[in-house]
Amino acid sequence: MLDIDLEFATASAPATVSNVAVGFDILGFSLTGMSDEVTVRRVEEPGVRIVKIEGGQNLPEDPEENTATAGLVAMARARKLSFGLEVTIAKGVPQQSGLGGSAASAVAAVVAASAVMDTPLSLPERFHYALLGEALAAGSPHGDNIAPAMLGGLILVRSMDPFDVMRIPVPHSMGAVVIHPDLSVDVRRARNLLSGEIDLGDFVAQSANLAGFIGGCFRDDRALIGRSLQDLVIEPQRSHLIPGFAAVKAAALGAGALGCSISGAGPAVFAIHDLDVDPEVIKEAMIKAFADADVEATGLISPINGMGGHVIERGPRVKKKSTKASPESA
Ligand code: HSE
């Protein structure tokens, strides 16, 4: 019989800002202009193999150890795939930057793999398998980079299991400035240094800020968003990992940003701005503050409502002769 196979798919998934000051491990938004790309090629020999890694440094070539492919290995086992997947990873998001590099790879990989399956992965399945890769990088799973890298925009992860995420509307006039200092922070270390206890007063204030930020997004109330974007819990415990952080934040706010905090576990720092302020001015002020602390930095100006992981190339669709039906699973 004639069979039609999708031979390969390449997917792109964006860098992300997680935590967003008030939503540790539960809130994140996608960035436009920085992404990872993963190509998954369907081949006859079963198993998942990494054939090439472009960019990135010291990334594991063992598919069980690589954040891009760990989820694919689990998926191939769960589905008992009778064919194999060859994976090429092109890193565009800097590693250990706080910009969701491992999530971008993991999401791009599952989106590309889903496109070459006979039965595509559901959204909860894609989330689940991408999360396995993220857990490798961080030591424990958290979905605040995976969800926005998958869906785009600002996403609240109410629960990872069962899968329960929610898109938060972002006022169209708002955008982000992200500054990446030439430093790296190990996410496991940044998580290990967090205290397991929160002062009750800080818990109340942080809950109010999270509610205020989300309410401000729904009501298109920038003043409320600005008042609410304050991290009383995580930022004070991590800011010492970023030389010059206090001055960089002061520079962003002084240049008119609504709020500024650490992106994910850092060292990247993000600021949110409205239309009345030129984001270039915020970007230059933040880069100068880093320079004053002897830290080189680069900046990215991005919308908050960008795209999530998506297929950018696929094919060729090959017609070939097959002697049997082509079940995906045995
Ligand atoms: N929410 C995570 C953290 C993001 O701050 O540790 C880093 O992967």
Side-chain angles (χ1 to χ4, degrees):
M1 64 184 282
L2 274 181
D3 207 358
I4 299 179
D5 280 344
L6 179 61
E7 199 183 27
F8 79 89
T10 301
S12 165
T16 42
V17 168
S18 58
N19 298 340
V20 199
V22 289
F24 177 67
D25 275 1
I26 60 170
L27 202 57
F29 64 81
S30 60
L31 294 169
T32 300
M34 187 185 282
S35 57
D36 282 0
E37 289 179 11
V38 175
T39 299
V40 176
R41 185 173 293 276
R42 186 169 157 155
V43 294
E44 276 184 22
E45 189 188 338
V48 176
R49 287 171 295 282
I50 297 175
V51 292
K52 195 168 170 195
I53 302 178
E54 295 165 4
Q57 284 180 332
N58 303 322
L59 291 169
E61 289 174 15
D62 176 348
E64 304 219 26
E65 298 297 322
N66 189 297
T67 56
T69 44
L72 302 194
V73 172
M75 185 269 292
R77 281 194 192 125
R79 288 198 166 196
K80 298 185 174 68
L81 294 187
S82 59
F83 52 86
L85 302 173
E86 286 185 350
V87 181
T88 302
I89 302 160
K91 292 294 296 177
V93 182
Q95 292 160 251
Q96 299 196 320
S97 62
L99 295 171
S102 48
S105 293
V107 168
V110 294
V111 170
S114 179
V116 299
M117 294 292 117
D118 294 333
T119 307
L121 300 167
S122 66
L123 178 59
E125 281 178 308
R126 275 181 273 147
F127 186 79
H128 167 75
Y129 290 122
L131 212 47
L132 295 179
E134 180 73 317
L136 259 189
S140 57
H142 52 86
D144 53 339
N145 291 103
I146 293 287
M150 189 83 72
L151 299 168
L154 176 64
I155 307 290
L156 172 71
V157 182
R158 199 208 61 78
S159 160
M160 288 184 285
D161 188 14
F163 174 73
D164 188 3
V165 305
M166 177 181 184
R167 178 177 301 284
I168 310 294
V170 179
H172 289 299
S173 58
M174 266 179 26
V177 176
V178 176
I179 308 298
H180 176 222
D182 189 15
L183 306 165
S184 60
V185 166
D186 177 47
V187 66
R188 287 173 187 252
R189 178 173 167 237
R191 291 180 78 78
N192 285 340
L193 60 77
L194 297 177
S195 165
E197 294 178 3
I198 303 178
D199 173 81
L200 188 60
D202 285 345
F203 171 74
V204 172
Q206 189 88 340
S207 302
N209 282 339
L210 175 60
F213 175 70
I214 291 179
C217 286
F218 274 94
R219 278 182 18 186
D220 209 347
D221 182 338
R222 297 108 216 259
L224 176 58
I225 289 171
R227 289 199 300 281
S228 304
L229 264 177
Q230 295 183 54
D231 179 0
L232 303 170
V233 177
I234 306 298
E235 184 185 298
Q237 298 183 70
R238 284 178 168 171
S239 56
H240 68 276
L241 299 173
I242 308 168
F245 174 77
V248 171
K249 179 171 176 170
L253 297 176
L258 289 172
C260 173
S261 189
I262 302 170
S263 175
V269 177
F270 78 96
I272 288 185
H273 69 90
D274 203 2
L275 258 192
D276 55 341
V277 182
D278 181 354
E280 280 291 346
V281 173
I282 298 174
K283 184 179 108 175
E284 292 311 321
M286 294 172 78
I287 288 176
K288 178 172 183 316
F290 265 127
D292 290 344
D294 285 330
V295 178
E296 281 184 36
T298 52
L300 174 72
I301 293 170
S302 167
I304 298 174
N305 273 331
M307 287 177 79
H310 60 284
V311 172
I312 53 175
E313 195 181 356
R314 57 171 71 209
R317 284 188 177 271
V318 182
K319 284 192 176 183
K320 65 177 185 184
K321 277 205 167 163
S322 167
T323 51
K324 55 179 183 178
S326 66
E328 188 170 288
S329 51

